[in-house]
Amino acid sequence: MCRFPFSLIIGLVSAIFACSINNANPDAICFNVLDYGAAGDGTTDDSQAFLMAWNEACSSETENPTLIIPRLTFLVSPVVFRGPCKAKNINFLILGMILAPDSPQTWKGLDQSQWLAFHGVSGLNVGGSGWINGQGKGWWDQSCRYHPHMKECTSLAPTAVKFLSCKRSSLSDIHFVNSAQTHVLIMRCDGMEINHLIIQAPETSPNTDGIHIQASYNVVINDIIVSTGDDCISIGDHTSNIYIFNVGCGPGHGISIGSLGRSGNIVQVENIYVSRVYLKGTTNGARIKTWQVGKGHVRGVTFENLYFDSVKNPIIIDQNYCNIRGACKEQKTGVQISDVLFENIYGTSSTDVAINLNCSRSVACTGILMKSIYLTSDKIGHKLTSYCTNAYGYSLGMIQPLPCLQI
């Protein structure tokens, strides 16, 4: 089990008390964005005030500086909060609401993949009781996914918050709503803890994943609720030591590893642990998806203690993933999927195939272990089935529907 430095969370809690808005502790070093010219009226662009406050907090030689966003509404254009910082730990305390521009035109000439980003910061604690509102509707209305024939439709939209090349950092207690695309991205990070989040976007919003992890290690996610239009949590390539606990998911696309290997690259994903997840009305439950052209491996994966409520594909491995079903030619390559455990999984399926292990005919799935699985149909009188292609492993205890693994 990955042991995370919980002192970071304690440091953020201490900052909340030390840097109260009305009576700041004179011994605490706090940087309130209002002191740098932020208006907090929801219409004035407060980006420069945020950056000035960040730059001073980041360059402060105090041990534990805190940047404060008080209980007002702040309109912020795309910004990057850059490190490294002089302090061992730095707190980014959100008590009010940070609001994105509502027009995609604001990103003209800028990187339209991001809105708020933290880059190269160690000991970063982002938290508070506040909100981050991505105002994504303008992007959704011109999405190529739903409007493929629209002139200048967009397939890339801003992620609400990116953590890039950060170490020993945390995100806690924030309420995210309506990101234009993914809500939280963790990329090239080592040591990240995410706690007590609520993430919400309409079920029809395109590509609005809750949390996506890419090229990162030693990540712990605990106690979050995600209701969006895409994966609640998705795990990308070059990830390891990922621990996910106590998640409420739905609507959305479930908990997904992948898709992986789309460009034919070598995939390296291992030691993924998912436990105590409740999924309601999601497209998928526990899913691993890889492209046939990929190489490398996914191994050491555990999905346990999951409860499904009317989930379309409760357990699914797809080594033949394709963005257009049936349109990708069968290849002799594939990502090796091995040592995967599905244990203590219960609930209902909204389709008749509750267990679907669609493995490559060239690169089999191996070491699949199923223990204590009991799934029933959410429709009276329907009988569930399992489907397996080139999947090898063992089943222990009660398995319903009947398993189809090859020994």
Side-chain angles (χ1 to χ4, degrees), residues 317-379:
I317 294 177
D318 188 359
Q319 278 183 296
N320 301 293
Y321 184 73
C322 183
N323 54 351
I324 302 175
R325 186 179 296 275
C328 296
K329 184 179 179 181
E330 187 170 341
Q331 305 285 330
K332 292 185 178 180
T333 53
V335 177
Q336 174 68 58
I337 297 174
S338 63
D339 301 325
V340 181
L341 170 64
F342 299 96
E343 182 175 14
N344 293 335
I345 297 177
Y346 304 92
T348 59
S349 172
S350 61
T351 60
D352 291 345
V353 180
I355 300 173
N356 186 352
L357 307 182
N358 179 21
C359 299
S360 166
R361 297 183 187 278
S362 301
V363 183
C365 300
T366 60
I368 309 298
L369 177 58
M370 293 191 169
K371 298 173 62 177
S372 302
I373 297 173
Y374 188 79
L375 299 173
T376 59
S377 177
D378 65 357
K379 303 175 184 66

Side-chain angles (χ1 to χ4, degrees), residues 264-277:
N265 58 293
I266 297 176
V267 171
Q268 295 178 325
V269 174
E270 55 190 38
N271 197 17
I272 312 296
Y273 183 81
V274 180
S275 181
R276 301 193 296 276
V277 179

Side-chain angles (χ1 to χ4, degrees), residues 17 52 105 182 211 335:
F17 288 100
M52 286 191 290
Q105 289 301 311
T182 299
I211 299 171
V335 177

Side-chain angles (χ1 to χ4, degrees), residues 1-147:
M1 169 62 69
C2 171
R3 294 192 177 275
F4 191 86
F6 288 98
S7 58
L8 294 181
I9 303 294
I10 294 171
L12 180 57
V13 173
S14 299
I16 293 174
F17 288 100
C19 295
S20 63
I21 300 305
N22 295 322
N23 297 295
N25 184 333
D27 296 324
I29 305 299
C30 306
F31 301 85
N32 191 321
V33 295
L34 294 177
D35 296 333
Y36 296 85
D41 57 10
T43 57
T44 303
D45 188 342
D46 290 323
S47 308
Q48 291 307 307
F50 272 55
L51 282 174
M52 286 191 290
W54 171 263
N55 289 336
E56 288 219 17
C58 184
S59 61
S60 170
E61 296 188 8
T62 188
E63 183 176 344
N64 202 33
T66 299
L67 185 150
I68 301 174
I69 294 96
R71 290 181 176 87
L72 297 168
T73 300
F74 298 88
L75 178 66
V76 177
S77 292
V79 291
V80 179
F81 303 103
R82 296 188 183 277
C85 296
K86 289 186 177 180
K88 182 178 179 181
N89 299 318
I90 183 167
N91 305 309
F92 197 95
L93 180 58
I94 304 171
L95 300 176
M97 176 180 284
I98 304 178
L99 196 65
D102 61 3
S103 172
Q105 289 301 311
T106 304
W107 277 261
K108 190 172 182 179
L110 302 174
D111 180 356
Q112 68 181 42
S113 75
Q114 65 187 35
W115 170 34
L116 308 174
F118 296 91
H119 188 278
V121 187
S122 296
L124 171 67
N125 309 302
V126 178
S129 57
W131 293 58
I132 294 178
N133 186 341
Q135 296 210 102
K137 188 176 186 304
W139 292 93
W140 307 336
D141 289 346
Q142 64 181 39
S143 167
C144 294
R145 179 172 174 179
Y146 291 145
H147 308 282

Side-chain angles (χ1 to χ4, degrees), residues 142-326:
Q142 64 181 39
S143 167
C144 294
R145 179 172 174 179
Y146 291 145
H147 308 282
H149 303 297
M150 176 185 290
K151 186 178 180 181
E152 297 183 351
C153 70
T154 52
S155 56
L156 182 65
T159 292
V161 177
K162 288 184 177 182
F163 294 86
L164 307 171
S165 301
C166 294
K167 296 181 179 180
R168 300 184 298 100
S169 297
S170 69
L171 171 66
S172 59
D173 299 305
I174 302 298
H175 194 149
F176 288 83
V177 292
N178 298 336
S179 180
Q181 212 159 77
T182 299
H183 287 78
V184 179
L185 171 67
I186 312 298
M187 180 175 282
R188 299 187 302 276
C189 293
D190 184 1
M192 185 84 196
E193 176 147 326
I194 300 175
N195 284 288
H196 317 307
L197 301 186
I198 297 175
I199 302 175
Q200 294 176 301
E203 184 175 3
T204 55
S205 56
N207 304 312
T208 51
D209 298 62
I211 299 171
H212 180 69
I213 306 166
Q214 183 82 23
S216 295
Y217 317 93
N218 304 315
V219 178
V220 178
I221 298 174
N222 179 54
D223 189 20
I224 68 168
I225 298 172
V226 185
S227 305
T228 67
D230 212 304
D231 294 329
C232 292
I233 300 173
S234 58
I235 298 170
D237 198 4
H238 294 281
T239 55
S240 64
N241 300 337
I242 311 298
Y243 302 93
I244 299 168
F245 306 92
N246 302 315
V247 176
C249 173
H253 293 181
I255 309 292
S256 292
I257 298 174
S259 61
L260 304 170
R262 179 172 186 167
S263 60
N265 58 293
I266 297 176
V267 171
Q268 295 178 325
V269 174
E270 55 190 38
N271 197 17
I272 312 296
Y273 183 81
V274 180
S275 181
R276 301 193 296 276
V277 179
Y278 172 72
L279 300 105
K280 180 177 176 62
T282 54
T283 306
N284 305 287
R287 175 167 64 161
I288 302 173
K289 50 179 178 174
T290 64
W291 293 75
Q292 293 184 77
V293 292
K295 305 174 185 67
H297 66 264
V298 176
R299 63 192 180 202
V301 177
T302 296
F303 291 103
E304 69 172 14
N305 302 318
L306 309 185
Y307 184 81
F308 300 135
D309 184 350
S310 296
V311 170
K312 187 175 180 181
N313 301 298
I315 296 173
I316 180 168
I317 294 177
D318 188 359
Q319 278 183 296
N320 301 293
Y321 184 73
C322 183
N323 54 351
I324 302 175
R325 186 179 296 275

